[in-house]
Amino acid sequence: MGFIIFVIFLSLVFSLFFSKLKKGKLGQLAKLFRIASVVFAVSVFTYWFIKKSVIGVVNNSLSLQVINKLPQPLDFYVINVNNLDKKTPLETKHIGKIRPEYYRVEYLKMNKSDEYWVAGYLGKKNLVYFSQHSVPNKNIDQMVEVQNYINQSEKLSAIAKKEIEEDNYQNMVMGIWVTLCFLLLFLNFVLLVRKK
């Protein structure tokens, strides 16, 4: 998705420059390019936001319910350990902040995996919970009750912490690019519909 966002950004920047061309055949081509850029950007972002908003129920997925029994809200992440694909051995998902006595449900694709990790953060950087879970039977949904502050493996939790920090950094960078694209999209749209 990062490459598509970069293409949208470039096309919207060029569209702003092309807004100065107004006369002749070149002006018509420039306006056509600007309209196509705006329509393409709106289409991609609409598809992306709908896809992100829909609940991630996937065929042949494993349902994981994480219940917070601790007295404080924790920010939870699930890391799916991919055994077959060595290029992407870990897949990080942010479940979200779970209040005490509440739960969240996440759906994991386990066709290439038989293990997942659950990490809980108190604040931004304080990893207070880490557990490792194997999945012997992928037809039985999983439930993890977080009842105390534990770290089952210092070595694996260090790997998980690094992976989560990398995922958060990538999401922040993507957020900056998307914000810039929205700003350019707004400017291009205003220039297109503005009357002389």
Side-chain angles (χ1 to χ4, degrees), residues 125-153:
K125 304 250 179 189
N126 193 11
L127 181 68
V128 295
Y129 177 85
F130 179 83
S131 60
Q132 178 185 16
H133 304 271
S134 63
V135 183
N137 186 351
K138 295 177 184 176
N139 296 322
I140 299 173
D141 292 334
Q142 302 280 303
M143 185 189 311
V144 176
E145 282 192 8
V146 180
Q147 297 182 353
N148 49 23
Y149 301 104
I150 61 167
N151 188 343
Q152 286 184 351
S153 169

Side-chain angles (χ1 to χ4, degrees), residues 4-31:
I4 295 172
I5 298 289
F6 184 67
V7 169
I8 289 172
F9 176 78
L10 284 180
S11 67
L12 291 172
V13 167
F14 285 131
S15 294
L16 275 182
F17 288 120
F18 290 163
S19 66
K20 296 292 181 187
L21 302 172
K22 296 187 176 169
K23 294 181 181 178
K25 188 132 182 149
L26 202 59
Q28 289 177 340
L29 288 172
K31 187 164 187 180

Side-chain angles (χ1 to χ4, degrees), residues 47-64:
Y47 169 76
W48 190 43
F49 287 129
I50 289 172
K51 188 179 171 190
K52 287 279 187 184
S53 302
V54 173
I55 296 172
V57 181
V58 185
N59 286 342
N60 301 322
S61 64
L62 179 77
S63 170
L64 168 65

Side-chain angles (χ1 to χ4, degrees), residues 80-98:
N80 196 354
V81 181
N82 196 334
N83 297 327
L84 299 178
D85 190 1
K86 299 300 177 191
K87 291 179 185 174
T88 55
L90 301 174
E91 180 187 331
T92 306
K93 284 190 174 185
H94 182 218
I95 297 179
K97 195 169 269 196
I98 305 177

Side-chain angles (χ1 to χ4, degrees):
M1 190 67 189
F3 178 72
I4 295 172
I5 298 289
F6 184 67
V7 169
I8 289 172
F9 176 78
L10 284 180
S11 67
L12 291 172
V13 167
F14 285 131
S15 294
L16 275 182
F17 288 120
F18 290 163
S19 66
K20 296 292 181 187
L21 302 172
K22 296 187 176 169
K23 294 181 181 178
K25 188 132 182 149
L26 202 59
Q28 289 177 340
L29 288 172
K31 187 164 187 180
L32 198 62
F33 177 80
R34 291 168 56 211
I35 291 170
S37 297
V38 168
V39 169
F40 177 68
V42 168
S43 304
V44 168
F45 283 126
T46 302
Y47 169 76
W48 190 43
F49 287 129
I50 289 172
K51 188 179 171 190
K52 287 279 187 184
S53 302
V54 173
I55 296 172
V57 181
V58 185
N59 286 342
N60 301 322
S61 64
L62 179 77
S63 170
L64 168 65
Q65 185 179 32
V66 179
I67 306 167
N68 185 9
K69 295 281 188 179
L70 294 169
Q72 293 173 300
L74 294 183
D75 204 12
F76 283 98
Y77 293 84
V78 174
I79 298 172
N80 196 354
V81 181
N82 196 334
N83 297 327
L84 299 178
D85 190 1
K86 299 300 177 191
K87 291 179 185 174
T88 55
L90 301 174
E91 180 187 331
T92 306
K93 284 190 174 185
H94 182 218
I95 297 179
K97 195 169 269 196
I98 305 177
R99 294 180 287 163
E101 299 300 328
Y102 280 80
Y103 68 91
R104 288 274 169 88
V105 177
E106 187 61 54
Y107 297 92
L108 305 175
K109 278 186 172 180
M110 301 298 287
N111 52 346
K112 297 178 183 176
S113 174
D114 57 3
E115 181 184 341
Y116 65 90
W117 306 337
V118 177
Y121 279 79
L122 184 61
K124 294 250 181 201
K125 304 250 179 189
N126 193 11
L127 181 68
V128 295
Y129 177 85
F130 179 83
S131 60
Q132 178 185 16
H133 304 271
S134 63
V135 183
N137 186 351
K138 295 177 184 176
N139 296 322
I140 299 173
D141 292 334
Q142 302 280 303
M143 185 189 311
V144 176
E145 282 192 8
V146 180
Q147 297 182 353
N148 49 23
Y149 301 104
I150 61 167
N151 188 343
Q152 286 184 351
S153 169
E154 288 288 336
K155 183 181 174 185
L156 294 180
S157 67
I159 295 169
K161 196 170 184 179
K162 188 177 177 185
E163 189 72 23
I164 289 166
E165 285 172 2
E166 177 65 26
D167 187 60
N168 286 340
Y169 174 75
Q170 293 295 331
N171 288 337
M172 185 186 71
V173 169
M174 182 68 79
I176 291 169
W177 279 107
V178 169
T179 304
L180 287 172
C181 285
F182 274 150
L183 180 61
L184 290 169
L185 185 62
F186 174 74
L187 290 172
N188 276 298
F189 184 75
V190 167
L191 287 172
L192 275 173
V193 298
R194 183 180 68 174
K195 292 182 180 178
K196 294 180 183 176

